[in-house]
Amino acid sequence: MQNSYCATGYVPGLFGVSHGPLQFMAYEELKKGYSHYFGTPINKKLNQYTMAEYNGAVDVIRKTFRYEGVRGFYKGLVPNVLRVTPACALTFVVYENVIHFLMPSSLL
């Protein structure tokens, strides 16, 4: 039995969750630059829009269908797939390469 952190998934797990803090750091720096460039206070909300009033999930479905049709349920699907696909592909490539690197060839 091997008692290493690599075997238990601790180290790969750290790599899997490290992107969140990096994204927040980048966001904060971009927000500072944006605020400085436009001369706005840094604590001002960047997205100010009004939200529709809904009375539950069924009301959301009714209003979406009434005002936008079936297409309203799929809004944002293409950009989301384009955003997620490279990350998923990279995850599988890294996983396969790590498996081939760590596992003895007799077990593959």
Side-chain angles (χ1 to χ4, degrees):
M1 184 95 177
Q2 188 178 5
N3 289 330
S4 81
Y5 287 118
C6 281
T8 62
Y10 179 74
V11 173
L14 285 178
F15 286 116
V17 297
S18 63
H19 63 85
L22 296 175
Q23 287 175 346
F24 278 110
M25 287 185 339
Y27 171 74
E28 287 297 325
E29 291 302 317
L30 289 171
K31 187 169 80 169
K32 284 180 196 173
Y34 177 88
S35 296
H36 179 72
Y37 182 78
F38 288 105
T40 58
I42 197 154
N43 60 353
K44 180 183 177 204
K45 286 189 175 186
L46 296 180
N47 56 351
Q48 295 180 354
Y49 55 90
T50 58
M51 297 287 291
E53 292 291 324
Y54 296 110
N55 297 320
V58 175
D59 189 38
V60 171
I61 293 168
R62 278 190 196 129
K63 287 182 179 178
T64 301
F65 185 74
R66 181 182 307 140
Y67 296 116
E68 301 181 38
V70 175
R71 292 185 75 189
F73 295 109
Y74 297 98
K75 241 189 212 180
L77 183 65
V78 172
N80 189 43
V81 168
L82 292 175
R83 180 183 63 88
V84 171
T85 301
C88 291
L90 183 63
T91 299
F92 285 119
V93 168
V94 169
Y95 173 77
E96 287 295 326
N97 286 326
V98 167
I99 290 296
H100 284 290
F101 178 74
L102 293 178
M103 297 288 283
S105 58
S106 63
L107 294 176
L108 292 175

